[in-house]
Amino acid sequence: MNRPILHNYFRSSTSYRVRIALALKGVDYDYEAFHLRKGEQRSDRFLRLNPQGLVPALTWTDDETYTQSLAIIEFLEEKIPEPALLPKDAEGRQRVRSLAQMIALDIHPINNLRVLAYLKEHFGADEKAQAAWFRHWVAETFAALERRLATEPETGRFCHGDSVTLADICLAAQLVNNRRFDVDMEAYPHIGRIGQALSELEAFRKAAPVNQPDNE
């Protein structure tokens, strides 16, 4: 059986999500780096893996390559059910997916590298303006996310109860990006508490950008 290969970039939050899931599921894999700031994700070699030119891509043991971080994580969930990253009940799964998608669909797509680069190239946004853009869109969603985590009874040690779920994976990756852009977390005590608890888990430390071979 072939060994999985994760095609990714150390600083990519979507790549970090998949690395966390692989660590939690106990999957050993080979690490292949594509440097986003050098445009390696647009190389012919990577486009053969993912025509969209986005990391991560996971080549599984069947030699098939799978893309899109949330879809990859749910693929892993189906292949390796334990430890579960989604609750057993439909209501719980809906809540976890909802929390995860607040980050993965409402923050990340308008704050990722290619969007910031477009703002610079076409609208003259310097680093200060890009950071302000980033922080604005984080705040738009984090205010609502904080309210949900503070008021919904399903919140526990983590986003949903006391076990790590897909929502926590997305949150941890977003918090790494937030630190790069100096997002003020004072208004989000519940998010901060959960983020601290996640940072103490071995799978999250192992998958962290600073611990990857292409870290710079």
Side-chain angles (χ1 to χ4, degrees), residues 6-28:
L6 181 63
H7 314 274
N8 74 137
Y9 178 57
F10 80 101
R11 191 174 283 156
S12 156
S13 60
T14 52
S15 297
Y16 185 24
R17 294 173 197 163
V18 174
R19 293 196 301 264
I20 295 169
L22 289 166
L24 288 168
K25 298 290 188 181
V27 177
D28 292 325

Side-chain angles (χ1 to χ4, degrees), residues 139-151:
E140 283 286 301
T141 292
F142 263 35
L145 181 62
E146 175 70 17
R147 284 196 298 273
R148 290 193 61 184
L149 294 175
T151 62

